[in-house]
Amino acid sequence: MSSWSYVDVWRTVAEAQPEAVALESGDVVVTLESFVHHMDSLGSYFHSLDLPRQSTVAAYLYNCPEYLITFAGTLAAGHVPINTNYRYGHDELAYLFDNADTRVLVFHGAFTDKIDALRGDLPDIVAYLHVDDGTTPCPPWATPFREALATPPTTLPPSSPDDLVMLYTGGTTGMPKGVMWRQDDLFVRLNSGGFRKYPEEGGLEDVRRCIDEAGAGYTLLPACPLMHGTGLFTAIRALGEAGRVVLLPSRHFDPVELATTLQDFDVNVAVIVGDPFARPLLHELRANPARYPLASLVSIVSSGAMWSQEIKDGLIDHVPHVLLVDTFGSTEALGLGSSLSSKKRTSATATFSLGPLVRVVDDNGDDVTPGSDTIGKVMIGGRNPLGYYKDAAKSAATFHTIEGVRYSVPGDFATVLADGKIQLLGRGSQCINTAGEKVFPEEVEEALKTHPSVADACVVGVPHELYGQQVVGAVELYPGHDADVDELIQHVKSRLAHYKAPRHLRVVPTIGRAVNGKMDYARHQREAREWLGVPQS
């Protein structure tokens, strides 16, 4: 049985390559030796708070070196790191920190006012660490992150393979749920897709031997947020391979910054979110082809949003030596499938080769026959999360044991092609994926219905060229009431993250629920497509 620990692996890597760069963002450069020193110093600060082992530490941060240092320091102290979607509004943040039993919160200065407004509702948080970003000075109720980072390293408790890494992701009601990974299982799952594949049942001696033989690792640029699994998981995997993680300093996606950083920092692997990132990037590459030869770029990896064939072909035209990897998975089901495209081979959009231990099972529990039209659910066995934090019902609905094998079944539907690849059909629920962010209609509908003029509401996802899907709503007003559409959209934005608010909203005579109260989402989507001039699928 394996017993991997990220803390032990990073210490081993730093001993082997102390001067190799671990983190780089703008002018900030952190070597592997400094990264581990920061990890142990911050871990010592957390340990000095005398919290019970496996207490939760939340990172409420934009992409920055402090994010990964906080993650590492949390593990070094024997605590549980959790993520925070920085687009969340007051209600969502309050739910997240309460549900996660958060004890320590590390936040960027830009979020000071939001945190201050929450503090009265979060009595269990014992320490706030303020990361100075030049926006708001450290408030008196917080500790400067740099001060905590100056804590002299002390002897920390041994890291256990059973220690948790918890990542919050959207739930069927829209509220986030914490996916609990044992760090040993997460390490093995991520390592299986790494460049340097350590033996699954191996140990630190294998890490040291590999690093001694091959030297420092590759340069990774996660252009997507570290608050999501795709960015975080690729970053911690790279660090475990003595890799260099380059982070974009800007807080809003800028294709010029991305292209320039890929070129100037000799990036080997870039991680993006489908067309929302790839399309603007391609436009910049085409506008200035001589500026961006991207000679060091080996691969672009995408996850979380549709990556169209047109854009893939355009990128390969500009960078013919690059391998494009479209991955299919979720926080609770890593490694479901992948699709590779290069100058020599292309793969159709939404068509994936199955990963190891992945099955597509029909309603009878049988594997779907390749080449048939049967629709099945995609599931993966092997190393999987323990479940959802404090939610046994949702855990039971997602993680199933079949003939002695425990599977994660996140709800994706697919058919199996004759060659064994799958054609992904999407989630069985009405979940909307807009630029890689999950939006659940029920949550937005409830926000709309809190407006005094709205009697009922329906929200659907409609295809969008750039974002994959866009949020489109319909509202039924109370008799005698009137409401401005822009006002209703702003009302949603005042309660929820802005990306959840409808981009388009129409007023209808009636929402037209069935007699049992159920919503006819298919009809509303057809009407929304017709209204916006989007072809019916």
Side-chain angles (χ1 to χ4, degrees):
M1 186 65 181
S2 61
S3 57
W4 291 105
S5 151
Y6 278 102
V7 171
D8 293 338
V9 168
W10 290 332
R11 287 177 179 151
T12 302
V13 166
E15 289 172 1
Q17 289 284 330
E19 299 305 314
V21 175
L23 305 174
E24 195 160 1
S25 180
D27 297 331
V28 177
V29 178
V30 180
T31 65
L32 279 167
E33 183 178 52
S34 295
F35 173 72
V36 168
H37 179 78
H38 291 332
M39 173 183 77
D40 289 337
S41 293
L42 190 61
S44 296
Y45 171 82
F46 290 149
H47 188 59
S48 72
L49 299 175
D50 290 327
L51 296 170
R53 187 179 176 88
Q54 293 291 272
S55 294
T56 49
V57 177
Y60 185 16
L61 300 166
Y62 292 106
N63 281 16
C64 60
E66 290 87 351
Y67 196 112
L68 293 169
I69 291 168
T70 297
F71 182 91
T74 301
L75 289 179
H79 295 323
V80 182
I82 65 167
N83 57 317
T84 306
N85 191 324
Y86 50 70
R87 294 175 174 175
Y88 279 168
H90 181 280
D91 293 351
E92 296 151 313
L93 291 170
Y95 173 85
L96 169 65
F97 296 140
D98 176 68
N99 180 261
D101 298 318
T102 306
R103 305 304 304 278
V104 181
L105 178 56
V106 183
F107 66 99
H108 260 133
F111 303 128
T112 299
D113 289 345
K114 284 189 173 183
I115 296 300
D116 198 18
L118 283 166
R119 288 193 306 120
D121 298 324
L122 301 171
D124 292 334
I125 295 184
V126 300
Y128 294 88
L129 296 187
H130 171 276
V131 176
D132 187 3
D133 57 2
T135 59
T136 305
C138 183
W141 43 265
T143 300
F145 185 84
R146 289 184 179 275
E147 183 178 310
L149 207 58
T151 304
T154 58
T155 300
L156 293 169
S159 183
S160 167
D162 293 325
D163 285 350
L164 295 180
V165 172
M166 191 152 67
L167 202 73
Y168 269 78
T169 185
T172 54
T173 62
M175 284 301 182
K177 55 188 185 295
V179 181
M180 300 182 293
W181 279 92
R182 292 177 62 251
Q183 67 166 331
D184 176 51
D185 291 332
L186 180 62
F187 185 92
V188 169
R189 180 69 84 186
L190 295 179
N191 175 66
S192 67
F195 288 85
R196 294 174 173 173
K197 295 180 176 63
Y198 305 128
E200 179 175 334
E201 305 295 334
L204 299 179
E205 66 279 1
D206 298 293
V207 174
R208 182 64 190 244
R209 173 179 48 78
C210 183
I211 302 300
D212 286 344
E213 291 175 354
Y218 60 99
T219 296
L220 172 81
L221 194 164
C224 48
L226 294 172
M227 67 180 182
H228 290 327
T230 300
L232 176 65
F233 291 163
T234 54
I236 62 175
R237 182 176 67 194
L239 292 172
E241 297 183 31
R244 167 184 173 229
V245 178
V246 175
L247 300 172
L248 300 173
S250 295
R251 294 179 174 177
H252 300 284
F253 178 69
D254 179 353
V256 176
E257 181 189 39
L258 174 55
T260 301
T261 306
L262 291 173
Q263 176 63 37
D264 294 351
F265 284 72
D266 296 322
V267 171
N268 304 127
V269 180
V271 184
I272 64 170
V273 182
D275 277 5
F277 283 43
R279 188 180 294 273
L281 173 63
L282 179 58
H283 288 169
E284 172 60 20
L285 298 180
R286 284 174 167 168
N288 300 284
R291 172 70 179 88
Y292 310 112
L294 304 182
S296 298
L297 191 62
V298 175
S299 178
I300 301 177
V301 180
S302 173
S303 179
M306 182 185 71
W307 197 2
S308 64
Q309 195 64 47
E310 166 203 356
I311 302 302
K312 290 181 187 177
D313 292 343
L315 289 170
I316 291 171
D317 268 347
H318 184 86
V319 198
H321 57 271
V322 76
L323 176 68
L324 306 181
V325 184
D326 203 352
T327 61
F328 162 43
S330 63
T331 305
E332 53 271 87
L334 299 177
L336 288 174
S338 62
S339 174
L340 306 180
S341 296
S342 67
K343 187 166 182 156
K344 296 181 179 179
R345 59 182 292 185
T346 58
S347 298
T349 298
T351 300
F352 297 89
S353 298
L354 292 178
L357 302 174
V358 178
R359 300 170 60 188
V360 182
V361 176
D362 64 20
D363 291 340
N364 298 319
D366 299 321
D367 290 307
V368 170
T369 302
S372 68
D373 293 329
T374 305
I375 295 174
K377 279 188 177 181
V378 186
M379 59 180 64
I380 183 169
R383 305 288 188 121
N384 279 316
L386 299 178
Y388 298 117
Y389 186 57
K390 299 195 301 189
D391 201 326
K394 287 180 181 176
S395 297
T398 299
F399 301 97
H400 304 168
T401 298
I402 303 173
E403 297 176 350
V405 177
R406 187 171 180 271
Y407 289 91
S408 177
V409 191
D412 298 284
F413 286 81
T415 57
V416 183
L417 306 177
D419 62 2
K421 294 181 178 179
I422 63 168
Q423 181 71 43
L424 185 63
L425 303 177
R427 288 287 172 101
S429 69
Q430 300 301 322
C431 178
I432 301 166
N433 188 323
T434 179
E437 296 281 4
K438 293 178 181 178
V439 178
F440 293 88
E442 298 93 338
E443 183 182 29
V444 186
E445 290 161 4
E446 289 304 311
L448 282 166
K449 287 187 286 186
T450 61
H451 191 280
S453 295
V454 176
D456 206 353
C458 178
V459 170
V460 296
V462 174
H464 187 278
E465 180 182 71
L466 181 59
Y467 301 114
Q469 287 182 300
Q470 57 185 324
V471 181
V472 180
V475 294
E476 174 185 342
L477 303 180
Y478 286 110
H481 282 248
D482 193 12
D484 180 76
V485 166
D486 290 335
E487 176 196 345
L488 293 176
I489 293 173
Q490 288 302 317
H491 177 74
V492 175
K493 289 181 177 180
S494 73
R495 303 183 67 86
L496 303 175
H498 286 199
Y499 68 83
K500 296 181 180 181
R503 293 178 65 85
H504 303 281
L505 187 65
R506 61 198 176 104
V507 178
V508 297
T510 176
I511 288 297
R513 290 181 182 268
V515 292
N516 61 1
K518 288 188 176 181
M519 188 80 73
D520 187 351
Y521 284 104
R523 176 179 70 83
H524 277 280
Q525 188 172 86
R526 288 194 301 271
E527 291 178 358
R529 283 173 177 253
E530 181 179 353
W531 177 53
L532 294 174
V534 177
Q536 302 290 339
S537 58

